[in-house]
Amino acid sequence: MKLHGFFRSGTSHRLRIALNLKGLPYETVPVDLRREQHLGDAYKALNPQGLVPTLEAGGRVLTQSPAILEWLEERHPEPPLLPRDADARARVRALAAIVGCDIHPVNNRRILEALRHDFGANEAAVQRWCGRWIADGFDAIEALLAADARRGDFCFGDAPTLADVYLVPQVESARRFQVDVARWSRIAAVDAACLRLDAFRRAAPALQPDAT
């Protein structure tokens, strides 16, 4: 497998975690968003949307991290990232979607670049923008974690699920935007539990070959 991504990209980060949890070897192919390599003809021939990550696997080219993660779960079901029970799967997917649908999309690089260049936002305004959507999403996740009597060390149960795969990169991003994650004690505890696992530690942005 070849993972085309950017070390600081939350979507690339979540895919690295999933691949590590499933014990799947992959080659990292850096795509430098700062130099706009994702907009070049070579990369767009691979991924017409010009976004990261892209996964090459067995002659296939897979795009969009939610689709890739579902594909990994179906093709490589062990260890599972989704519970067996339908109600439990719905809960895990809902937690993941708060990050994947409601926090990350409005805080990703192309949105922030538009705020800077099209709307004249300075860095303080950009940080306030990011902090607002992170806080809204984290408030909801914290409440859902507090309401779940079955929760173990992770978002759902005693082993990482898709919810943790989404949450940990968003926590990393929150810290980068100077959001105090400690105010959400359950999220902070889940993040700490995940980072005790090698699969999460090895996926950290700072440890990637293109990190600078």
Side-chain angles (χ1 to χ4, degrees):
M1 293 186 184
K2 291 184 179 181
L3 173 58
H4 300 257
F6 181 58
F7 75 101
R8 209 163 53 203
S9 154
T11 51
S12 301
H13 189 178
R14 69 179 69 141
L15 193 48
R16 292 193 300 265
I17 292 170
L19 289 165
N20 291 345
L21 284 170
K22 290 184 175 294
L24 298 171
Y26 61 93
E27 175 189 347
T28 297
V29 183
V31 180
D32 194 336
L33 303 189
R34 298 161 299 184
R35 295 171 54 199
E36 298 194 337
Q37 287 182 346
H38 59 300
L39 302 179
D41 291 343
Y43 186 69
K44 280 203 161 185
L46 190 69
N47 182 337
Q49 201 174 11
L51 298 176
V52 293
T54 299
L55 185 69
E56 292 187 82
R60 305 171 189 84
V61 177
L62 305 170
T63 63
Q64 286 288 344
S65 65
I68 299 171
L69 289 165
E70 293 281 352
W71 180 86
L72 285 172
E73 187 70 359
E74 291 173 10
R75 288 301 185 105
H76 303 277
E78 298 298 332
L81 297 179
L82 287 169
R84 305 300 186 195
D85 175 71
D87 291 346
R89 285 199 304 275
R91 186 163 185 88
V92 167
R93 284 187 168 118
L95 288 166
I98 293 173
V99 173
C101 300
D102 299 325
I103 303 177
H104 177 266
V106 294
N107 284 352
N108 71 20
R109 184 180 183 275
R110 62 180 178 167
I111 298 299
L112 304 187
E113 289 297 289
L115 290 175
R116 293 179 179 109
H117 300 303
D118 298 346
F119 298 95
N122 60 24
E123 290 309 304
V126 168
Q127 284 203 343
R128 287 197 303 274
W129 171 273
C130 293
R132 171 185 174 177
W133 304 116
I134 291 168
D136 282 358
F138 279 11
D139 284 347
I141 292 172
E142 185 80 0
L144 289 169
L145 295 180
D148 188 356
R150 297 170 297 174
R151 191 177 68 83
D153 289 339
F154 300 95
C155 284
F156 189 90
D158 296 316
T161 65
L162 203 63
D164 306 283
V165 167
Y166 274 78
L167 180 61
V168 168
Q170 190 59 63
V171 171
E172 169 78 20
S173 178
R175 292 187 175 117
R176 183 158 54 87
F177 289 114
Q178 299 181 14
V179 175
D180 182 12
V181 178
R183 62 188 271 199
W184 298 283
S185 60
R186 290 173 179 83
I187 289 175
V190 168
D191 182 63
C194 289
L195 293 179
R196 287 194 286 270
L197 301 180
D198 184 62
F200 284 86
R201 290 196 302 268
R202 287 190 291 113
L207 298 182
Q208 305 316 302
D210 54 331
T212 57

